[in-house]
Amino acid sequence: MSTNLNPLDLVKFDDSNPEARCPCILLLDTSGSMSGAAINELNAGLETFQQEIQRDDSAAVRVEVAVITFGNGVHTAQSFVSAHQFVAPRLTAGGNTPMGEGINLALDQLRQRKDTYKQHGVSYYRPWVFLITDGAPTDEWRSAGQRVQQEENEKAVAFFAVGVEKADMKVLAQISKRQPLRLQGLNFRDMFVWLSQSLTTVSHSQVGQQVPLSSPAGWSIID
Amino acid sequence: MTLVAPPNFRVIAGSVQGTSHLRTRTPCQDAYHFTEIASGELIVALSDGAGSAAYGEEGAQHAVATAVATVAAALDRYRPTTRRAWHVTVQSAFLAAQQAIFALAAQRERAPRDFAATLLLLIFTAEETIGGLVGDCVAVLHHDGTLLSLCPPQRGEYANTTNFVTQPDLRSQIDVRQWAKPVRSAALFSDGLAPLAMNLAQNEPFAPFFEPLFAFLAAANDAAVAGEQLADFLSSDRVNARTDDDKTLVLIQRIAHDNVPIIHATCNDCH
């Protein structure tokens, strides 16, 4: 290369394009049965998730996280934030298991989020819902389950279900089109490391790329 | 990669592997090809092999070679004069590209989707420019001081989805556009460069990206040096900070007839 001014140094880049977003809702069971070790390990797992997802600069900008809990009603513990702004909430357990209502709220929020992206010309990846439960729904869940199946068929969402301890895996199999996974013991940490890595991979994926997820074998059992 | 076509057009192109492809050891899946035919038209094709396709780069290579050869052969026999006739010419090139990939897939006993690739095809005549697109490569035309993107990139709902020439519904996905004026210069590029060069939501070229490139092309008097500079630029840290995808850029300039073309070259060493 000559030492003369390189004319290509003058090329400027457009700064108006927002980063593509990769939304993920953590849909978490905080019913009474989660009390004690389970909720403590889940909270520790959420802290691990926060650290892991913030490790990759690009994923920290592109991945957006929301947290919805079901147990003592359905609550948005964290509305959508960029992963780099995500602070793991400290959840407490109590009450029944309104999973159907929780699922509907999650799917509603994803729909709204997509509308917001469209309004602002932001491109986005297929959203994820990551459901974790240790029990069975105490509300009407079949219509929510049908909605999950339908939206999964339409590729509107990627819905993952994880059962903890005594979770009713048969119900989860009727809700989630993807095979539900059973957590090994209370190994939330490895599960959240996997989730973070998977979202990071998705948020780096390019046109036409189907993202091969790494095996969840490190933290799950297939019944 | 440095290429300067004979009489009517000057072409300099660069194609480099994205950093994410370096990490995953996948090859550069972009390919381009061009030819200036005896009657003076320049035919250029650019293709981006799908990240999910095991042999996307081969699909891309077959697509560009077949599309350019099909148009060159067609123009050798017959010169379209109507919009409809150009449409048929472009469409036949895309269908031929698909058939070439299908034949390759059959020969290799693989599914056509293993060779999935996008395709952008441009024909520059003395009077007008005709473009066809399936996928999300971009053609920016420079005319009378203004820049325009000829065919809007096709995107699915999600950031990582678009159309490919291997799709069964290819015929209905081909977007053919005509710009009824001769262009002074043009840039074709793969989607890896699009976020740097365009306002994506508006499909609007970012002029401060293109102006220095066209000035660089106009001033290039050593094809080898210019090609190296373009490749260096495409793999520079400041480009890689903004995109980790493969990046291909084909710069085209119509040479004024009183100018002597600087170097004659062919596209033998295209990807």
Side-chain angles (χ1 to χ4, degrees):
Chain A
M1 293 294 299
S2 77
T3 53
N4 294 338
L5 175 71
N6 181 344
L8 297 179
D9 288 342
L10 301 173
V11 175
K12 293 191 171 63
F13 302 149
D14 192 305
D15 283 323
S16 66
N17 297 305
E19 294 269 358
R21 301 304 156 98
C22 180
C24 176
I25 293 184
L26 305 177
L27 180 55
L28 308 176
D29 185 341
T30 55
S31 62
S33 57
M34 286 286 289
S35 300
I39 199 76
N40 290 339
E41 290 302 311
L42 177 59
N43 280 326
L46 286 168
E47 285 176 23
T48 302
F49 179 66
Q50 178 190 331
Q51 291 161 13
E52 291 293 317
I53 199 73
Q54 291 173 352
R55 220 184 251 209
D56 182 280
D57 289 344
S58 170
V61 173
R62 293 179 157 210
V63 175
E64 294 194 320
V65 184
V67 180
I68 294 174
T69 61
F70 52 97
N72 262 339
V74 171
H75 300 282
T76 303
Q78 171 69 64
S79 48
F80 274 114
V81 282
S82 290
H84 68 87
Q85 295 170 305
F86 176 69
V87 178
R90 280 210 77 78
L91 306 174
T92 54
N96 55 9
T97 313
M99 190 190 297
E101 192 188 337
I103 289 169
N104 277 313
L105 182 65
L107 296 178
D108 289 346
Q109 287 193 1
L110 283 181
R111 200 165 284 183
Q112 287 164 15
R113 197 70 190 155
K114 285 185 181 180
D115 287 342
T116 305
Y117 294 147
K118 285 175 197 158
Q119 280 161 25
H120 293 87
V122 176
S123 62
Y124 53 92
Y125 295 94
R126 184 170 172 181
W128 282 33
V129 174
F130 209 78
L131 167 72
I132 302 171
T133 181
D134 75 333
T138 52
D139 65 348
E140 200 286 300
W141 57 271
R142 289 182 188 276
S143 60
Q146 282 165 8
R147 190 174 163 194
V148 170
Q149 300 263 342
Q150 188 188 336
E151 296 203 10
E152 181 86 51
N153 284 337
E154 293 165 353
K155 299 192 191 300
V157 67
F159 193 101
F160 298 84
V162 177
V164 181
E165 295 185 320
K166 298 178 298 297
D168 188 335
M169 300 304 285
K170 285 187 183 136
V171 167
L172 288 185
Q174 289 177 65
I175 291 171
S176 173
K177 202 178 166 220
R178 292 159 200 266
Q179 168 137 35
L181 299 167
R182 184 187 286 282
L183 190 67
Q184 289 173 6
L186 294 175
N187 192 3
F188 286 108
R189 282 175 200 268
D190 286 347
M191 184 202 75
F192 276 114
V193 169
W194 177 88
L195 178 61
S196 171
Q197 286 169 352
S198 300
L199 290 171
T200 299
T201 307
V202 170
S203 72
H204 280 283
S205 67
Q206 284 147 6
V207 165
Q209 203 170 0
Q210 283 154 4
V211 181
L213 299 178
S214 63
S215 163
W219 53 270
S220 71
I221 308 161
I222 294 191
D223 286 342
Chain B
M1 213 115 339
T2 298
L3 307 146
V4 178
N8 290 332
F9 296 91
R10 172 182 293 178
V11 182
I12 293 180
S15 183
V16 304
Q17 194 179 23
T19 52
S20 68
H21 284 200
L22 281 169
R23 262 201 311 274
T24 56
R25 300 190 180 178
T26 39
C28 176
Q29 291 172 311
D30 290 351
Y32 64 90
H33 189 63
F34 64 85
T35 189
E36 184 174 326
I37 56 178
S39 50
E41 291 86 4
L42 178 71
I43 308 162
V44 189
L46 173 61
S47 174
D48 182 352
S52 61
Y55 308 101
E57 74 282 4
E58 289 181 64
Q61 288 157 12
H62 274 68
V64 294
T66 307
V68 169
T70 304
V71 174
L75 296 188
D76 194 40
R77 293 191 304 269
Y78 161 74
R79 177 61 195 271
T81 50
T82 64
R83 178 178 291 258
R84 175 79 202 134
W86 275 119
H87 196 283
V88 169
T89 303
V90 170
Q91 195 173 47
S92 67
F94 277 80
L95 295 172
Q98 184 186 56
Q99 285 308 312
I101 294 178
F102 284 0
L104 173 68
Q107 181 200 329
R108 301 271 289 274
E109 298 181 352
R110 308 288 306 206
R113 68 169 177 280
D114 290 338
F115 300 85
T118 65
L119 181 58
L120 171 66
L121 175 66
L122 268 285
I123 304 155
F124 298 90
T125 78
E127 299 85 29
E128 59 189 338
T129 304
I130 297 91
L133 177 68
V134 166
D136 55 1
C137 289
V138 182
V140 167
L141 307 183
H142 181 212
H143 172 78
D144 266 357
T146 60
L147 297 168
L148 72 114
S149 165
L150 188 62
C151 307
Q154 299 169 346
R155 294 204 174 80
E157 180 183 6
Y158 299 130
N160 50 352
T161 52
T162 190
N163 291 319
F164 299 107
V165 287
T166 41
Q167 281 174 214
D169 64 343
L170 170 66
R171 198 181 279 270
S172 61
Q173 300 299 344
I174 308 167
D175 182 19
V176 182
R177 308 256 173 162
Q178 207 166 3
W179 178 249
K181 292 167 188 165
V183 295
R184 192 152 156 226
S185 37
L188 276 62
F189 49 94
S190 54
D191 70 300
L193 280 177
L196 290 67
M198 309 283 295
N199 178 301
L200 297 174
Q202 309 293 329
N203 188 32
E204 202 173 270
F206 183 63
F209 179 87
F210 294 98
E211 283 158 0
L213 286 171
F214 289 142
F216 160 76
L217 177 61
N221 53 16
D222 183 321
V225 171
E228 274 172 29
Q229 282 180 317
L230 195 60
D232 286 347
F233 164 71
L234 292 174
S235 48
S236 65
D237 289 346
R238 71 190 189 103
V239 169
N240 286 338
R242 297 285 300 264
T243 177
D244 56 6
D245 199 358
D246 295 337
K247 296 145 292 193
T248 299
L249 178 59
V250 182
L251 297 173
I252 296 152
Q253 187 182 44
R254 192 181 298 277
I255 299 170
H257 280 298
D258 50 346
N259 286 1
V260 178
I262 48 175
I263 296 175
H264 290 251
T266 55
C267 191
N268 293 335
D269 55 345
C270 284
H271 283 221

